[in-house]
Amino acid sequence: MIDRFGRTINYLRLSVTEKCQLHCDYCRSSEECQNSKELTAEEILRLSRVCVKLGLDKIRLTGGEPLMRRDIIEIAENIGKLQNLRELTMTTNGQLLSQCAKELYRAGIHRINISLDSLNADCYRSMTGGDINKIFSAIEEAKKAGMNPIKINAVLLRGINDGEVNNFLHFSREYGVTVRFIELMPLGRLSDKPEMRITMKEILEKNPVLIPGEKTGEPAREFHFSGSAKAGIIAPMSEPFCDSCNRIRILSDGTLRPCLGCIDEISLSEFLGGDDKMLSEKIERAVFNKPLGYTMRDCEKPIRDMSRIGG
Ligand code: SAM
């Protein structure tokens, strides 16, 4: 699908739940936002099928925490069978991954992103509430299952984990994973703390070992270090990539969000009872009208935080 600004939209980020067992401040603002009605596995498949028919050929399952859904393997398996789907991936906090990495791989998830904000067990626990050892075993199991690449997402926060860039680079080389540092977006409890954001420029100034690679048009800008090892920086705030944005989001309650950083939303749930034609038209129109760039601003309370939209 092509939007009114000529961008090709071929990527769906599909949130399957708002629930998450972790409590990362930058991602969530309150506890009560985890109770919305969730799409069923069947509805998720239907939406995916319609989107793939419309030309979206890459789907990422996200949340909330996608592995909190008991039927996640069934969901992945069914989507994985869709003809013309080129890539099925997942972003997870990794806490439950080691138990199901093989099944996920069999279901069609061959690449995975795992969020890990600190390599220090105490810091990781205080930032997220999670157990870092579960992530280390998750990475091992994902590798054994055959997942490749395995990418590590780390949101850097000033005064908390911003001194860990070098450790992350060592870690990524040792574990054979690719780390990507993400700039803090105002989409959670820290939306009023832009001073905590570590920008791409700052990372590069403090870590001259990172040598810029070719620009690829992907959100993650690629860098090399120690020969062929690679890392990425995702800088939506200091270097927005809206011009080349190729994605839309469907939230776990059936809402379509054409742009992560705009409040425009289209409810698809009322069309789930009708035929595919109506649903397709609604999605096509929303894609066509996708905003040119985001309107989220620092210090403005987000209408929905990241955990509800699906990162
Ligand atoms: N629960 C899964 C996880 O932890 O990876 C998937 C959902 S989470 C919303 C997806 C990604 O969004 C994570 O890598 C997280 O670090 C990132 N994220 C969440 N809130 C963010 C924010 N305010 N700014 C930048 N990245 C954020």
Side-chain angles (χ1 to χ4, degrees), residues 26-27 62-65 91-93 115 153 155 182-183 185 306 311:
Y26 55 75
C27 187
T62 181
E65 171 48 39
T91 302
T92 169
N93 62 32
S115 302
N153 289 352
V155 177
I182 308 178
E183 281 182 359
M185 286 180 265
M306 186 72 114

Side-chain angles (χ1 to χ4, degrees), residues 121-233:
D122 293 335
C123 180
Y124 175 71
R125 183 172 286 285
S126 87
M127 284 181 81
T128 67
D131 175 356
I132 202 166
N133 291 315
K134 292 191 176 159
I135 307 225
F136 297 144
S137 11
I139 294 175
E140 287 309 330
E141 291 306 316
K143 270 200 237 169
K144 272 193 221 154
M147 290 181 181
N148 185 29
I150 299 172
K151 294 185 181 167
I152 300 295
N153 289 352
V155 177
L156 292 179
L157 300 180
R158 190 176 311 283
I160 310 246
N161 61 347
D162 53 331
E164 293 195 46
V165 171
N166 221 10
N167 293 352
F168 268 114
L169 298 181
H170 280 292
F171 172 82
S172 69
R173 213 177 31 200
E174 210 175 293
Y175 274 71
V177 295
T178 306
V179 64
R180 291 120 46 88
F181 303 108
I182 308 178
E183 281 182 359
L184 172 68
M185 286 180 265
L187 289 173
R189 211 175 292 152
L190 299 182
S191 59
D192 60 348
K193 301 244 178 329
E195 66 280 5
M196 290 186 81
R197 175 178 310 127
I198 306 291
T199 60
M200 162 135 77
K201 185 163 173 270
E202 211 175 329
I203 298 176
L204 296 178
E205 277 168 4
K206 292 200 178 131
N207 299 279
V209 292
L210 289 169
I211 311 294
E214 292 284 311
K215 279 195 176 169
T216 59
E218 291 288 314
R221 185 73 207 280
E222 205 173 89
F223 294 87
H224 299 278
F225 64 98
S226 319
S228 62
K230 278 189 217 158
I233 302 180

Side-chain angles (χ1 to χ4, degrees), residues 110-124:
H110 297 171
R111 319 157 60 107
I112 202 150
N113 291 6
I114 304 176
S115 302
L116 171 63
D117 294 323
S118 175
L119 292 169
N120 173 298
D122 293 335
C123 180
Y124 175 71

